[in-house]
Amino acid sequence: MRKNFQFVTALFLALTLIILTAAPAFAAGPRYLTLVDIQHWSGKGLVLKFEIVNGEYTRQELKGSYALVGNNEFGIDCNIDDNGKVVCVIGDAIAQFTGRTATVVIDGQGFYITVPERKDAKYCYNIYGLMTDDFEGFVDAMEGVLPEAPAATAPAAIVESPDPFDIIFFYWYPATVGRECSATPPTVGDILNFDHPYENELRDLFGEEFFENSIFGEGDMTTAIFTNELFWEGAPEEFACMYQETPAYYAWIYLILGIIYCGGPTPT
């Protein structure tokens, strides 16, 4: 009888230990997304926002997401915004299937949605940032593969002494890098997370740390701030070349480096 009691007690303690050890894992549960908002903006596309439950996602994990309407497949570009939400954009071509059911697949997790009607965006503004016409040349230069002096169009400083800033200033110039539209007018200081045409390539080249560098403050390389003529009142004359005479969004890195480009080409 005593042996039976000891066995039952030991078994009880073992089961209790297993339950207590496993409890945190069960409490946390699997990581997943919940769809919290859908907006369909004319000229921008279908924007879906997701809350992350039990964990975090990286941009890399969200690559390869897609949407299906019948046999029609649409690529999806996903980012993580400043509030930790996953924000995904499906191109405006999906508008031809308004009212139809679409299957959205994000990191293997499926969602069924009805493609909503497009909203007319009344307020549209340019996003000014930095652009290059030779990204491959920029990558080669950053990796130390410099143009040969006789055929080089790059400044001698790049050919002879590859300073990173010389390389950046040669290959990149101010330009319109996007456009943002909304149903209501933005106010000065509004922050925008935008998709730079070379964002994926830059992430692959520099890594996520580059986009999270404290030099950009609370934003990153693909964060822009809305400004208008009031923003420029009282600004130093050196910034004159940056002023576009119309309200616009200015990328963080453009505001940081833009003054160096004054005297060079202005955004087009």
Side-chain angles (χ1 to χ4, degrees):
M1 182 72 178
R2 181 180 178 82
K3 289 183 178 180
N4 289 338
F5 177 76
Q6 289 177 334
F7 174 77
V8 172
T9 302
L11 181 61
F12 174 76
L13 290 174
L15 289 174
T16 301
L17 181 60
I18 292 172
I19 292 172
L20 290 176
T21 302
F26 282 109
R31 181 184 63 171
Y32 63 94
L33 299 171
T34 58
L35 181 62
V36 295
D37 187 47
I38 300 177
Q39 301 280 345
H40 194 176
W41 297 106
S42 177
K44 182 173 184 178
L46 189 59
V47 182
L48 301 93
K49 291 187 178 182
F50 301 86
E51 293 276 7
I52 305 173
V53 180
N54 295 329
E56 297 179 348
Y57 278 91
T58 65
R59 179 179 170 83
Q60 188 66 31
E61 290 179 291
L62 301 172
K63 285 185 176 180
S65 299
Y66 61 92
L68 290 173
V69 182
N71 295 323
N72 301 279
E73 182 173 329
F74 300 88
I76 301 178
D77 184 45
C78 296
N79 285 291
I80 300 170
D81 68 13
D82 292 340
N83 298 316
K85 289 186 174 65
V86 171
V87 181
C88 299
V89 179
I90 307 173
D92 204 34
I94 201 171
Q96 61 187 299
F97 298 107
T98 296
R100 296 271 300 275
T101 298
T103 303
V104 175
V105 180
I106 310 292
D107 189 40
Q109 185 177 344
F111 302 85
Y112 292 103
I113 66 168
T114 299
V115 180
E117 295 281 348
R118 286 186 293 190
K119 296 182 178 181
D120 289 329
K122 300 179 181 179
Y123 303 92
C124 294
Y125 303 91
N126 286 333
I127 303 171
Y128 292 118
L130 301 181
M131 180 55 68
T132 180
D133 296 324
D134 184 9
F135 189 83
E136 291 183 2
F138 168 69
V139 173
D140 288 342
M142 291 297 291
E143 293 178 347
V145 181
L146 302 175
E148 296 181 2
T153 57
I158 293 183
V159 177
E160 297 174 2
S161 57
D163 181 272
F165 281 99
D166 288 336
I167 295 172
I168 292 172
F169 297 155
F170 175 73
Y171 283 98
W172 294 82
Y173 59 88
T176 300
V177 295
R179 191 164 175 80
E180 175 69 8
C181 296
S182 61
T184 57
T187 58
V188 172
D190 281 355
I191 301 299
L192 168 71
N193 288 311
F194 68 97
D195 296 318
H196 190 282
Y198 284 109
E199 180 176 350
N200 291 337
E201 291 85 347
L202 288 168
R203 287 183 184 276
D204 291 338
L205 179 63
F206 294 112
E208 292 294 330
E209 315 82 52
F210 177 74
F211 284 76
E212 298 170 358
N213 196 303
S214 59
I215 190 175
F216 301 113
E218 295 181 357
D220 60 27
M221 186 179 177
T222 54
T223 300
I225 184 171
F226 184 76
T227 68
N228 63 17
E229 61 274 9
L230 296 177
F231 176 86
W232 300 104
E233 286 185 2
E237 292 183 2
E238 306 92 89
F239 286 91
C241 77
M242 300 171 62
Y243 175 41
Q244 300 306 305
E245 299 181 355
T246 57
Y249 286 92
Y250 287 81
W252 242 227
I253 194 167
Y254 176 71
L255 291 176
I256 292 172
L257 300 178
I259 189 171
I260 300 175
Y261 291 94
C262 285
T266 55
T268 57

